[in-house]
């Protein structure tokens, strides 16, 4: 078995271990840690940090092995300022639109806000963009389409807890599936700078909570209009920025890489 096939096996194996442990123990561990630290946000961050251990181990087993280059494999050693600037500027149309359309959420809970915007945005990008998509795309023979399809399918399924209405579930699935494709494409095109999708994810989630927009990711007509505007801005900026050095996702790496 060559290195790239072995890498694929390792990545899927340790993601499976992470997923099973997360499903069985995350809620219990989070409850106990939160009771110890007396803060829901800190409890959420600490529990997620512990749950990442299988993924960190799987990453360390990739050749070259070891702790060296771990931040590089996750894309966290790239420009933080670039990521924050991108997230702030591309979501500006969304925030400006929401100011005029939606009322300010006066009942927002600080812990819920930090959990659902900062913590969830950060850790979801670590798990799905950096590990599941990024490492599969960078360290195996799978190209962009198979890597992103698998990642986005699982990412979308994990958001279906938000509703029990069939029509709304279909909309939630579609939005989160396409959102995962967007974030992964941005991650790849910005030279695997994970701070780019992290910042965009956090700012988009924040706008959803700061204003009384909607209870689920499905949104409504106006929320999706301004969200679409933000997406167009993100894609346009990325294409214009990368034209100078060439886009990363091309025909030769769409399906399988040599």
């Amino acid at each position: 078995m060559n290195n790239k096939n072995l890498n694929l096996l390792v990545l899927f194996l340790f993601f499976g271990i992470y997923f099973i442990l997360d499903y069985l123990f995350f809620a219990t561990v989070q409850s106990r840690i939160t009771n110890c630290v007396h803060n829901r946000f800190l409890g959420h961050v600490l529990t997620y940090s512990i749950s990442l251990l299988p993924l960190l181990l799987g990453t360390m087993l990739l050749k070259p092995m070891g702790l060296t280059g771990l931040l590089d494999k996750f894309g966290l050693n790239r420009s933080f300022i670039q990521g924050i600037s991108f997230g702030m500027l591309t979501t500006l149309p969304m925030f400006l639109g929401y100011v005029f359309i939606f009322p300010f959420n006066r009942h927002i809970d600080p812990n819920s806000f930090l959990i659902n915007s900062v913590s969830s945005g950060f850790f979801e990008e670590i798990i799905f963009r950096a590990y599941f998509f990024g490492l599969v795309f960078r360290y195996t023979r799978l190209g962009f389409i198979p890597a992103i399809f698998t990642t986005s399918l699982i990412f979308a399924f994990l958001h279906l807890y938000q509703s029990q209405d069939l029509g709304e579930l279909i909309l939630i699935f579609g939005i989160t599936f396409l959102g995962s494709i967007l974030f992964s494409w941005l991650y790849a095109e910005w030279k695997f700078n994970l701070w780019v999708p992290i910042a965009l994810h956090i700012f988009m989630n924040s706008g959803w909570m700061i204003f009384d927009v909607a209870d689920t990711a499905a949104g409504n007509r106006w929320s999706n209009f301004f969200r679409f505007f933000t997406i167009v801005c993100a894609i346009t900026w990325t294409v214009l920025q990368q034209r100078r050095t060439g886009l990363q996702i091309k025909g030769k790496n769409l399906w399988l890489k040599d």
Side-chain angles (χ1 to χ4, degrees):
M1 183 179 293
N2 63 40
N3 287 342
K4 290 190 175 181
N5 289 337
L6 181 60
N7 287 344
L8 184 63
L9 179 62
V10 168
L11 290 171
F12 274 84
L13 173 63
F14 280 89
F15 183 84
I17 294 172
Y18 155 78
F19 187 82
I20 292 171
L21 293 177
D22 181 81
Y23 179 77
L24 293 176
F25 302 112
F26 188 92
T28 302
V29 174
Q30 182 181 16
S31 177
R32 292 181 179 179
I33 292 179
T34 301
N35 288 336
C36 290
V37 299
H38 305 292
N39 182 278
R40 288 196 296 119
F41 171 63
L42 183 57
H44 192 263
V45 170
L46 291 174
T47 307
Y48 249 127
S49 299
I50 294 171
S51 74
L52 290 180
L53 289 177
L55 302 186
L56 294 176
L57 180 57
T59 304
M60 291 170 59
L61 292 176
L62 298 180
K63 293 184 178 182
M65 295 182 178
L67 289 170
T68 303
L70 189 61
L71 290 178
D72 178 69
K73 288 177 180 176
F74 278 92
L76 291 172
N77 62 344
R78 311 300 199 272
S79 173
F80 175 79
I81 299 300
Q82 183 185 66
I84 293 297
S85 300
F86 181 87
M88 289 180 62
L89 292 175
T90 53
T91 55
L92 188 60
M94 193 175 79
F95 277 90
L96 291 175
Y98 289 177
V99 165
F100 292 101
I101 301 296
F102 299 106
F104 181 76
N105 186 357
R106 300 182 182 277
H107 304 289
I108 189 170
D109 172 64
N111 277 293
S112 295
F113 174 77
L114 291 172
I115 288 171
N116 291 302
S117 59
V118 178
S119 183
S120 293
F122 178 81
F123 285 108
E124 284 183 4
E125 294 307 310
I126 289 283
I127 296 165
F128 290 98
R129 244 59 66 191
Y131 181 89
F132 203 3
F133 163 74
L135 295 182
V136 168
F137 180 64
R138 296 167 70 187
Y139 289 90
T140 78
R141 292 191 64 234
L142 291 186
F144 180 78
I145 291 177
I148 192 56
F149 181 81
T150 306
T151 306
S152 301
L153 197 63
I154 295 176
F155 185 75
F157 269 119
L158 292 179
H159 283 80
L160 296 183
Y161 70 91
Q162 298 181 14
S163 178
Q164 295 182 339
D165 178 75
L166 179 60
E168 193 169 40
L169 283 174
I170 293 173
L171 190 56
I172 291 171
F173 182 88
I175 288 174
T176 51
F177 182 84
L178 294 175
S180 176
I181 292 176
L182 171 68
F183 289 146
S184 298
W185 177 76
L186 292 173
Y187 177 47
E189 292 299 348
W190 286 91
K191 310 298 189 293
F192 299 101
N193 181 355
L194 191 63
W195 296 112
V196 169
I198 284 176
L200 182 62
H201 198 153
I202 288 175
F203 279 112
M204 290 183 77
N205 283 4
S206 298
W208 215 256
M209 298 190 68
I210 292 173
F211 301 96
D212 193 8
V213 177
D215 295 327
T216 71
N220 52 52
R221 181 180 62 181
W222 283 112
S223 65
N224 288 326
F225 172 80
F226 289 109
R227 179 161 57 181
F228 178 75
F229 198 1
T230 283
I231 291 170
V232 170
C233 289
I235 293 173
T236 302
W237 185 358
T238 301
V239 171
L240 292 176
Q241 177 71 19
Q242 305 312 322
R243 282 182 64 183
R244 294 181 298 177
T245 57
L247 293 171
Q248 301 298 304
I249 306 301
K250 303 175 182 178
K252 63 181 181 180
N253 58 21
L254 283 179
W255 293 100
L256 289 174
K257 304 190 295 292
D258 295 330

